[in-house]
């Protein structure tokens, strides 16, 4: 798919560049501009403390989408949808096939074909060339490496004691350039700042790149900040703003954070501990919100802010005790798929708050239309609809989400924990969801189904599928019309990963 694409001569003159910032694992309910005040965690004083003032400012200047939804509850399929404009079962990158097909056209490729410089900064190890996300980028930087290198020293970081760290160093030091590897080990073990998972280095690098940039082309900049992802380890000064009354930083950061172990019943978390974890999570959001402010200042200093479309979203949400879960796997509750989305600049300036249903896979159609790029190859494959003000695309009357295959698989959980609870074994299924203005319906290939009346049950506590079987049937048929029968769908396909990649994913709790 190397079909060329071009810029429309009537593109919006006020939009030259596009910046897409993903706050990894940011759920809508915990972000000020989209969160429900009734659900916000309380601070020490017992009152709400703003979590994301920078996003609030962007929202005041731009447009907030109150009902934006991811297509999947975890990083890889959600980013694949943002990059291709396709649903997970369409692009095929999911728990059963952890690679973005080379034949698919991506958003960075469309920008590159439209004459843009394309830069990516990823702090999540899923979003790298290992999984096919580098296509179209002039440069895709890996935020977890101090010096950019193909060799991965993550095994050293994971060592539980000095012996393990030394053993990992011996095994990995000569995997590539030993001097570069030694520098990365020194950084991770001695010099890496506490409470930061790469965000500060990323914004500093972007700031320097902007300041020294000589390229006359417009640019597309993608950046993923991973701090809100487990483990929640914000700087102390941030954590202390959001922890519950009488909870100390030491007590909160001592709580074990192992979502897969929690789901499998390997340990318990009390309500008080979940309250502290939610405080740490909010502190992480506050920290990356400050990084957003730094990024904005860098764009302003470079003279690029006024003609840049600035998009901020979460790629999926998080369970922190809700529905009995910790993390973001195995289900499609709104806690996982309802995400913040704020767009600032150009035609979105002063747009206020919009309550129409939109999906993250609508971003390709929207941002390309904003800068006047028509990419036929990408357009032919996508299910994307532009939500640009005045666009000819039809607004959505429903949004969809899919969980194509368990990640990690039940087999991997068994290998780690041995016998696992029946509750977890039941998650070995494929799920689909449809959400309209009034109803949310979820069904699985094992016969599972739930129906919720959203206006009266926004937290999806009461299943009314038995009370309204016709409603459930209608929505189930609509899902089948859109994606085909669940019974005939398969989640086969696999791709081999380097051992270092498997270990990085284990760090993130996916393996």
């Amino acid at each position: 798919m190397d079909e060329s694409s071009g810029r429309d001569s009537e593109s919006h003159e006020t939009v030259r560049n596009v910046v897409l910032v993903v706050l990894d694992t940011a759920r809508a309910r915990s972000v000020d501009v989209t969160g429900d005040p009734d659900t916000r965690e309380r601070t020490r004083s017992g009152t709400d403390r703003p979590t994301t003032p920078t996003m609030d400012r962007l929202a005041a200047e731009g447009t907030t989408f109150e009902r934006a939804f991811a297509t999947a509850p975890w990083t890889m399929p959600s980013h694949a949808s943002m990059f291709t404009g396709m649903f997970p079962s369409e692009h095929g990158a999911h728990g059963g096939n952890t690679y973005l097909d080379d034949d698919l056209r991506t958003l960075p490729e469309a920008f590159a074909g439209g004459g843009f410089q394309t830069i990516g900064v990823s702090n999540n190890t899923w979003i790298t060339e290992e999984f096919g996300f580098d296509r179209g980028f002039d440069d895709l930087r890996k935020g977890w490496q101090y010096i950019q290198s193909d060799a991965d020293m993550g095994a050293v970081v994971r060592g539980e004691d000095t012996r393990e760290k030394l053993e990992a160093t011996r095994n990995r030091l000569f995997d590539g350039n030993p001097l570069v590897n030694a520098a990365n080990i020194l950084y991770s073990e001695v010099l890496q700042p506490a409470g930061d998972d790469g965000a500060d280095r990323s914004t500093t690098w972007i700031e320097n790149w902007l300041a020294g940039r000589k390229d006359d082309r417009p640019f597309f900049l993608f950046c993923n900040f991973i701090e809100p992802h487990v483990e929640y380890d914000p700087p102390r000064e941030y954590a202390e703003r959001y922890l519950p009354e009488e909870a100390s930083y030491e007590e909160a950061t001592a709580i074990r954070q192992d979502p897969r172990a929690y789901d499998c019943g390997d340990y318990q978390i009390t309500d008080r501990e979940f309250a502290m974890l939610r405080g740490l999570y909010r502190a992480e959001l506050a920290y990356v919100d400050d990084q957003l402010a730094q990024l904005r200042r860098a764009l302003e200093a470079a003279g690029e802010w006024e003609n840049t479309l600035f998009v901020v979203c979460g790629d999926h949400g998080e369970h922190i005790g809700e529905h009995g879960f910790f993390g973001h796997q195995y289900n499609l509750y709104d806690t996982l798929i309802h995400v913040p989305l704020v767009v600032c600049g150009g035609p979105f300036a002063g747009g206020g708050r919009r309550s129409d249903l939109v999906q993250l896979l609508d971003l390709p159609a929207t941002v390309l239309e904003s800068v006047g790029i028509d990419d036929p190859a990408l357009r032919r494959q996508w299910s994307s609809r532009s939500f640009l003000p005045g666009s000819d695309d039809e607004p959505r009357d429903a949004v969809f989400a899919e969980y194509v295959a368990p990640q990690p698989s039940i087999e991997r959980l068994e290998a780690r924990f041995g016998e696992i609870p029946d509750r977890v074994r039941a998650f070995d299924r494929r799920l689909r969801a449809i959400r309209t203005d009034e109803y949310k319906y979820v069904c699985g290939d094992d016969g599972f189904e739930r129906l919720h009346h959203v206006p009266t049950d926004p937290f999806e506590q009461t299943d009314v599928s038995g009370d309204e079987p016709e409603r459930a049937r209608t929505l189930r048929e609509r899902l089948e019309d859109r994606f085909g029968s669940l019974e005939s769908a398969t989640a086969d396909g696999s791709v081999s990963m380097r051992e270092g990649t498997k270990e990085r994913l284990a760090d993130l709790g996916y393996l």
Side-chain angles (χ1 to χ4, degrees), residues 335-394:
T335 329
L336 299 189
I337 62 172
H338 185 199
V339 294
L341 175 60
V342 174
V343 186
C344 193
F348 291 94
R353 305 178 72 88
R354 284 176 52 174
S355 60
D356 46 321
L357 292 165
V358 299
Q359 303 228 230
L360 294 184
L361 62 70
D362 294 329
L363 286 173
T366 303
V367 298
L368 291 180
E369 185 179 0
S370 297
V371 295
I373 291 179
D374 178 34
D375 191 282
L378 184 57
R379 178 163 34 84
R380 280 197 300 269
Q381 77 186 24
W382 74 27
S383 298
S384 191
R385 297 188 191 183
S386 173
F387 51 76
L388 186 76
S391 174
D392 291 334
D393 284 0
E394 287 291 324

Side-chain angles (χ1 to χ4, degrees), residues 125 312 339 422 433 474:
T125 54
V312 184
V339 294
D422 290 341
T474 298

Side-chain angles (χ1 to χ4, degrees), residues 158-197:
R158 291 186 297 279
E160 296 292 337
D161 53 31
T162 302
R163 179 190 59 80
E164 289 188 2
K165 290 180 182 294
L166 290 174
E167 182 178 354
T169 299
R170 286 197 303 270
N171 292 339
R172 298 301 179 89
L173 186 61
F174 295 98
D175 182 9
N177 187 322
L179 293 178
V180 171
N181 293 341
N184 282 334
I185 292 170
L186 179 64
Y187 173 73
S188 65
E189 297 304 304
V190 180
L191 302 177
Q192 185 175 22
D196 183 276
D197 294 319

Side-chain angles (χ1 to χ4, degrees), residues 202-250:
S202 295
T203 49
T204 298
W205 184 88
I206 293 170
E207 184 176 18
N208 292 335
W209 169 72
L210 285 168
R213 186 171 177 268
K214 304 300 183 183
D215 200 313
D216 291 333
R217 292 176 295 169
F219 61 81
F220 168 64
L221 171 65
F222 163 80
C223 183
N224 172 292
F225 291 131
I226 200 172
E227 273 71 10
H229 197 292
V230 166
E231 290 184 358
Y232 317 136
D233 57 347
R236 177 188 288 266
E237 62 269 28
Y238 286 83
E240 290 179 343
R241 300 176 196 170
Y242 302 102
L243 288 175
E245 191 173 356
E246 307 300 330
S248 70
Y249 173 79
E250 289 75 15

Side-chain angles (χ1 to χ4, degrees), residues 439-485:
Y439 287 90
K440 167 83 171 286
Y441 176 76
V442 185
C443 62
D445 61 0
D446 60 349
F448 169 87
E449 70 173 359
R450 288 184 69 92
L451 177 68
H452 301 278
H453 184 241
V454 175
T456 59
D457 185 25
F459 303 128
E460 298 166 271
Q461 299 292 327
T462 305
D463 174 21
V464 296
S465 59
D467 299 328
E468 300 189 53
E470 283 302 307
R471 180 78 62 179
R473 182 186 60 79
T474 298
L475 294 175
R476 181 169 58 252
E477 289 176 351
R478 185 164 180 185
L479 281 170
E480 291 178 353
D481 289 343
R482 181 63 186 78
F483 298 107
S485 171

